[in-house]
Amino acid sequence: MKLSKGWIVLIVVIGLILLLVGWVTGINNNLVTKEEGVNTAWANVENVYQRRLDLIPNLVNTVKGVAKFEQQTLTAVIEARAKATSVQINPKNLDEGSLQKFQEAQNGVSSALGRLMVVVEKYPELKATQNFSELQAQLEGTENRITVERMKFNESAQAYNTYLRQFPNSMFAGMFGFQQKAYFKSQAGAEKAPEVQF
């Protein structure tokens, strides 16, 4: 049985279309996989930040219970926590602006907690309590976890962004609705060493 030229051409065209569809599907699936990796890394970042926010009420209550503490400092911590919990980000729209708002809110928490720890130095009886010591250790551990998860997020975002921008992926990424993800950046002024004076 011989196939006519028309059938051979049709089979070749269908084969090429199937190859093209498979190739484009592979690009889309890889983009989906990498984007899900970024979303997972973002969820881990949010998780450790939430852990820190969950520790703050216990820390504030412990400080209030032990010392006649400076109310302004406690209020600043509580307000920074409230602001940080109000900033919600959809990982699908993780652009520079939304990530910057998130970082600013979290930096406010870090700053308020830093001021609280400085003021705590004036109260040796507070530092000596077991509850405070445990909370302080948990906060320090959480800050380390935050650093690790932010680094993992940046690595996932870099892998995703690199794949997204490579040719020919970049041609299809926009068609499929994939956009670059923002990175965590260091705080302004972090490149300068702090001055230590004795």
Side-chain angles (χ1 to χ4, degrees), residues 83-103:
K83 183 177 180 185
T85 56
S86 71
V87 176
Q88 300 295 318
I89 295 181
N90 178 354
K92 294 278 186 192
N93 301 325
L94 210 63
D95 60 5
E96 292 285 334
S98 60
L99 192 58
Q100 184 177 358
K101 287 179 188 173
F102 181 83
Q103 269 190 274

Side-chain angles (χ1 to χ4, degrees), residues 104-145:
E104 286 172 0
Q106 295 302 332
N107 289 345
V109 172
S110 296
S111 177
L113 283 173
R115 286 191 305 273
L116 176 68
M117 293 305 169
V118 167
V119 173
V120 161
E121 293 295 320
K122 298 179 188 175
Y123 298 92
E125 69 278 4
L126 176 61
K127 289 177 16 179
T129 65
Q130 184 177 356
N131 279 350
F132 182 79
S133 295
E134 288 174 5
L135 285 169
Q136 189 175 20
Q138 286 183 31
L139 275 173
E140 289 169 1
T142 299
E143 293 298 329
N144 289 335
R145 289 178 185 171

